[in-house]
């Protein structure tokens, strides 16, 4: 059978493109290397709890079109992301807000908090931040940087904060209010029934082959489709011919506990350098501690997350967008632009970290352009 589009990857980007192409009357084949669809947003029901197997994913957006689109495939609950930071047993509210500033400095008013941040900024004397450490201190002062940013970030990236680019932390939420909603987004939630069910609905009626590595039989697969939509790592597509791009990976330790409440929150970040994991996720709280039928659960499941360097064969998570890797990506990008009948899209193919709503928005825009002229 000849297909109009061969889509490599059944994650969010691949699923959106597949759905749009199929709805436009195109013949579509989706290949997925893993043994399941949904990519890193994959959720698995264990003991009545939807477990985020590859880390916590909370959908949030200000884009009405994106929100309306994902609601075609799932009903979302009203979960609000309000993580907690644990620094050597001291608990702080995230994002940085008046609860954080009160706990850190004993201040009670926005004016007092702003004055303390400004005092620490002046004391640091940073006018033009050149790295992540300087950027963070210029945003929240040295105290918060030392306790709540430095250790967590260095564990996450495996590098000293002075060796990381400033832009990584530019979107850090800082609020002189008591609002502890991490995302300043109009729409927010987690799909009831999990992300896997949402992706499966996107792919209904579309041929999907899981456990299939496109790159192992690239020539054969290319011959069955007019165009390829590639959502995998861009350097892998070209056989790492110019060298491997660097990523950070995450290792997960999942544990079922015979208790109804382990930490009282879905997400707790461990911000000291000594604790080996970056955070603990308690999955039941993404659905308010209840199963799909609304029953309270007497047990819980937690996941500890450990960040480490990527090596060949690992699942890549976060691109290391420093100067060296960005330059290498641009060389691969030039090759990609010269590829005939191949569309590169998604966070791995574009070597950029995107929030889920950005993935959907970019893929929809790409579909508008591609399918509009196809």
């Amino acid at each position: 059978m000849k297909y109009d589009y061969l889509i490599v990857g059944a994650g969010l980007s691949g699923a959106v493109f597949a759905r749009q192409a199929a709805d436009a009357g195109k013949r579509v084949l989706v290949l997925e290397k893993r043994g399941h669809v949904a990519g890193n947003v994959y959720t698995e029901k264990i003991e009545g709890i939807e477990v985020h197997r590859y880390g916590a994913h909370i959908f949030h957006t200000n884009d009405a079109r994106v929100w309306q689109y994902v609601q075609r495939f799932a009903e979302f609950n009203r979960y609000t992301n309000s993580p907690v930071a644990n620094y050597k047993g001291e608990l702080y509210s995230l994002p940085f807000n008046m609860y954080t500033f009160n706990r850190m400095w004993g201040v009670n008013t926005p004016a007092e908090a702003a004055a303390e941040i400004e005092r620490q900024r002046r004391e640091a004397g940073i006018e033009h931040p050149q790295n992540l450490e300087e950027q963070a201190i210029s945003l929240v002062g040295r105290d918060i940087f030392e306790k709540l940013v430095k250790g967590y970030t260095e564990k996450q990236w495996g590098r000293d904060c002075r060796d990381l680019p400033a832009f990584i932390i530019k979107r850090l939420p800082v609020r002189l209010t008591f609002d502890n909603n991490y995302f300043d987004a109009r729409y927010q939630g987690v799909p009831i029934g999990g992300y896997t069910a949402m992706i499966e609905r996107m792919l209904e009626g579309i041929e999907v082959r899981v456990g299939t590595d496109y790159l192992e039989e690239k020539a054969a697969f290319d011959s069955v489709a007019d165009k390829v939509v590639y959502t995998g790592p861009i350097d892998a597509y070209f056989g790492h011919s110019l060298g491997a791009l660097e990523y950070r990976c995450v290792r997960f330790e999942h544990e079922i506990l015979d208790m109804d409440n382990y930490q009282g929150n879905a997400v707790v970040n461990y911000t000291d350098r000594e604790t080996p994991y970056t955070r603990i996720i308690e999955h039941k709280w993404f659905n308010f501690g209840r199963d799909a039928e609304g029953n309270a659960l007497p047990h819980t499941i937690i996941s500890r997350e450990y960040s480490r360097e990527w090596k060949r064969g690992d699942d890549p998570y976060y691109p290391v967008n420093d100067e060296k890797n960005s330059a290498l990506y641009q060389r691969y990008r030039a090759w990609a632009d010269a590829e005939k009948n191949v569309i590169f899209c998604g966070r791995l193919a574009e070597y950029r970290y995107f929030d889920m709503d950005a993935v959907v928005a970019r893929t929809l825009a790409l579909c508008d352009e591609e399918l509009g002229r196809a």
Side-chain angles (χ1 to χ4, degrees):
M1 182 175 177
K2 188 76 171 179
Y3 300 91
D4 296 300
Y5 293 98
L6 170 68
I7 298 173
V8 181
L12 191 55
S13 183
V16 170
F17 196 105
R19 181 73 271 149
Q20 294 302 94
D23 287 352
K26 304 300 180 182
R27 294 161 296 176
V28 177
L29 171 63
V30 178
L31 305 180
E32 171 54 53
K33 183 178 178 180
R34 289 174 175 171
H36 58 75
V37 301
N40 281 1
V41 302
Y42 174 72
T43 52
E44 179 183 10
K45 183 174 285 189
I46 301 174
E47 302 283 342
I49 298 171
E50 288 291 343
V51 175
H52 296 221
R53 295 294 302 202
Y54 302 102
H57 288 84
I58 300 98
F59 201 94
H60 56 98
T61 187
N62 286 310
D63 189 322
R65 183 194 183 193
V66 167
W67 186 240
Q68 290 167 4
Y69 184 81
V70 295
Q71 287 188 107
R72 286 176 52 190
F73 311 102
E75 179 184 356
F76 284 73
N77 66 20
R78 56 174 180 80
Y79 176 80
T80 298
N81 191 30
S82 300
V84 171
N86 184 320
Y87 177 78
K88 299 182 178 181
E90 299 175 11
L91 300 181
Y92 295 88
S93 178
L94 295 176
F96 305 136
N97 59 32
M98 287 302 300
Y99 292 113
T100 317
F101 306 141
N102 174 266
R103 178 82 168 95
M104 184 71 67
W105 300 314
V107 299
N108 295 315
T109 68
E112 291 172 326
E116 181 58 27
I117 292 173
E118 181 58 29
R119 185 191 69 77
Q120 294 192 21
R121 283 175 179 160
R122 289 197 308 270
E123 188 177 87
I126 300 168
E127 294 186 11
H128 304 289
Q130 299 299 306
N131 53 53
L132 188 148
E133 177 172 320
E134 292 180 355
Q135 179 67 43
I137 293 171
S138 70
L139 285 172
V140 293
R142 185 167 294 278
D143 290 346
I144 289 177
F145 167 73
E146 292 289 346
K147 282 193 172 184
L148 305 184
V149 176
K150 179 177 170 64
Y152 183 90
T153 303
E154 291 183 350
K155 286 189 293 187
Q156 185 177 32
W157 292 100
R159 291 159 174 77
D160 190 283
C161 286
R162 286 166 289 191
D163 297 326
L164 290 167
F167 73 81
I168 289 178
I169 210 164
K170 281 187 176 178
R171 66 177 187 169
L172 186 71
V174 180
R175 302 192 185 120
L176 295 175
T177 68
F178 289 92
D179 178 10
N180 64 347
N181 177 3
Y182 193 88
F183 299 121
D184 184 13
R186 184 176 180 183
Y187 310 107
Q188 182 176 171
V190 173
I192 297 172
Y195 284 98
T196 301
M198 182 182 83
I199 298 297
E200 287 173 343
R201 291 188 191 103
M202 285 186 184
L203 295 170
E204 280 182 359
I206 297 170
E207 184 178 353
V208 180
R209 302 181 192 175
V210 299
T212 304
D213 191 337
Y214 161 76
L215 294 177
E216 288 186 354
E217 303 178 68
K218 183 177 179 301
F221 283 125
D222 287 347
S223 68
V224 304
D226 294 332
K227 283 192 174 183
V228 172
V229 178
Y230 180 79
T231 70
I234 189 171
D235 53 341
Y237 180 90
F238 294 106
H240 303 101
S241 300
L242 300 174
L245 291 164
E246 293 180 294
Y247 298 88
R248 293 295 290 176
C249 290
V250 183
R251 177 174 66 85
F252 301 93
E253 288 182 354
H254 306 288
E255 187 176 0
I256 301 173
L257 300 175
D258 188 21
M259 61 177 68
D260 66 348
N261 191 348
Y262 177 76
Q263 63 187 19
N265 204 49
V267 182
V268 176
N269 292 355
Y270 286 78
T271 61
D272 60 279
R273 194 68 181 84
E274 293 74 20
T275 301
Y277 40 85
T278 54
R279 62 182 182 175
I280 295 179
I281 306 302
E282 189 169 5
H283 300 269
K284 68 188 297 184
W285 301 122
F286 290 123
N287 197 42
F288 315 112
R290 300 183 177 276
D291 62 17
E293 289 71 43
N295 302 309
L297 292 160
H299 53 275
T300 192
I301 299 175
I302 64 169
S303 298
R304 296 178 182 87
E305 299 186 8
Y306 300 81
S307 182
R308 60 180 176 82
E309 287 291 324
W310 174 87
K311 62 181 186 299
R312 297 275 184 94
D314 290 338
D315 292 323
Y317 282 80
Y318 304 107
V320 181
N321 293 124
D322 58 13
E323 186 175 340
K324 179 185 73 171
N325 284 285
S326 296
L328 180 56
Y329 166 70
Q330 290 304 323
R331 294 173 67 194
Y332 278 121
R333 184 73 246 181
W335 281 8
D337 291 341
E339 283 285 290
K340 293 182 178 180
N341 301 319
V342 182
I343 299 168
F344 292 80
C345 71
R347 63 183 183 87
L348 298 178
E350 298 180 66
Y351 197 63
R352 288 181 61 189
Y353 179 79
F354 295 118
D355 286 331
M356 286 183 288
D357 64 322
V359 171
V360 175
R362 289 172 71 86
T363 309
L364 287 176
L366 175 62
C367 290
D368 290 343
E369 179 182 354
E370 170 66 22
L371 299 173
R373 66 175 180 234

